[in-house]
Amino acid sequence: MQILVAKIADIEVISLLGSLDPDAAVQLKLKMKTILEANPAKLIFDLSQLEYTGSAGLREFFLAAKTLDRSGGKMVCCGVQKEVRRIFDLAGFAMTYPTVPTFAEAIDKIA
Amino acid sequence: MMNPVLEVTLESKTSECTRLSEKLEKFAEHHRLSSEVSYAIRLALEEILVNTMSYGCCEDLVNTIHVRLRKTDKTVEVEVEDDAAFFNPLEAVISEPAHGKVPEKEGGLGIFLVKKLMDDLKYRRTEKGNLLQMVKKL
């Protein structure tokens, strides 16, 4: 699992590559703590190369979205692959928070 | 022809999930399981293992967890057996995640997903420990 963090203008971009299994979810939790403590106004999760997530990873997406919601920020997930999408749908994530097919659309949505 | 049965014995630590997923991937490839089926089995196994490791196994004991998969014509049968104290993961209190809310209880969301993704789940206490049997239809 690789977690890449970048900043494009005022947008935090977190790209996840590989499998978000239980140990990787712990890594992501630590990284997200630092990122969320800085109160970002805009956050994009690029999930186009995320092949798998279990419930621990999913909780991190819920927590980030909730935190941004509370502080008046915006969060968008993009490129969610088919099988991961199924899990997002089952948990009700995709119904509540915006997900878009491409990174360009995420930038449009959040800018 | 690869054996239709995959058996793996795991130690009680979450890093073992990675080793299991590698074996699972080979099993799925060989039996040409769909991505939907192999994803569901991987998720179900990980959620059950993490729950067992967190709640069922004692820190001061060396617990082992035995995982067994069997491919039949129409299903994949999955068994998880441990030598830990009584723990039935299916009795974890779960509720459908409310839209827009972070699921409150650690583990509750995992079991919720397992119940949604697998077609049959059975728990029984054995002489050795706990046995969970799951079935995923192909």
Side-chain angles (χ1 to χ4, degrees):
Chain A
M1 174 81 197
Q2 265 188 293
I3 305 169
L4 306 177
V5 182
K7 194 149 188 170
I8 301 176
D10 60 344
I11 308 168
E12 291 283 346
V13 180
I14 303 166
S15 307
L16 303 179
L17 290 74
S19 283
L20 199 42
D21 66 8
D23 279 3
V26 173
Q27 279 178 47
L28 179 63
K29 193 181 193 71
L30 289 172
K31 212 148 228 176
M32 289 312 298
K33 191 170 180 286
T34 315
I35 291 168
L36 294 174
E37 274 171 2
N39 283 320
K42 296 170 183 178
L43 195 155
I44 294 176
F45 270 112
D46 181 353
L47 305 183
S48 56
Q49 292 181 76
L50 180 70
E51 294 153 10
Y52 172 89
T53 182
S55 71
L58 194 55
R59 281 178 65 86
E60 294 309 312
F61 299 129
F62 269 109
L63 276 166
K66 193 77 185 165
T67 307
L68 270 282
D69 247 8
R70 260 201 305 262
S71 63
K74 283 191 205 170
M75 180 182 129
V76 179
C77 293
C78 69
V80 187
Q81 291 188 27
K82 191 175 131 206
E83 298 307 333
V84 174
R85 173 88 199 181
R86 197 190 311 275
I87 304 305
F88 271 40
D89 288 342
L90 280 176
F93 184 88
M95 279 177 74
T96 317
Y97 299 109
T99 60
V100 294
T102 65
F103 186 72
E105 285 165 275
I107 295 278
D108 274 352
K109 184 115 189 152
I110 214 166
Chain B
M1 178 71 188
M2 190 184 181
N3 195 319
V5 177
L6 169 69
E7 294 193 74
V8 190
T9 300
L10 305 169
E11 287 176 47
S12 180
K13 53 185 183 188
T14 55
S15 57
E16 288 282 81
C17 290
T18 311
R19 189 163 70 89
L20 177 64
S21 72
E22 284 162 8
K23 288 186 184 290
L24 200 56
E25 203 178 318
K26 284 193 187 129
F27 182 82
E29 251 172 48
H30 184 85
H31 292 291
R32 299 199 174 112
L33 302 181
S34 69
S35 56
E36 183 188 348
V37 168
S38 58
Y39 196 111
I41 292 171
R42 179 178 178 185
L43 188 142
L45 274 171
E46 276 187 11
E47 302 297 344
I48 296 302
L49 290 172
V50 169
N51 264 289
T52 300
M53 289 169 187
S54 308
Y55 305 112
C57 297
C58 303
E59 276 174 20
D60 54 343
L61 290 174
V62 181
N63 292 108
T64 55
I65 304 170
H66 192 69
V67 172
R68 183 170 180 274
L69 272 82
R70 183 166 165 266
K71 158 94 171 44
T72 70
D73 285 349
K74 291 180 179 169
T75 63
V76 178
E77 299 164 356
V78 183
E79 285 187 353
V80 181
E81 188 170 21
D82 64 42
D83 53 4
F86 173 80
F87 176 69
N88 179 357
L90 304 181
E91 283 177 356
V93 180
I94 64 157
S95 55
E96 189 124 357
H99 292 149
K101 289 195 174 162
V102 181
E104 298 291 335
K105 201 171 180 294
E106 199 87 43
L109 178 63
I111 298 300
F112 168 81
L113 292 174
V114 173
K115 288 186 173 176
K116 285 276 182 192
L117 290 170
M118 301 305 272
D119 295 295
D120 190 39
L121 295 165
K122 279 194 194 90
Y123 167 85
R124 77 185 155 88
R125 180 78 190 160
T126 64
E127 269 179 35
K128 192 178 152 212
N130 304 287
L131 174 66
L132 184 73
Q133 293 169 308
M134 305 187 272
V135 175
K136 180 69 186 169
K137 288 182 190 159
L138 297 178

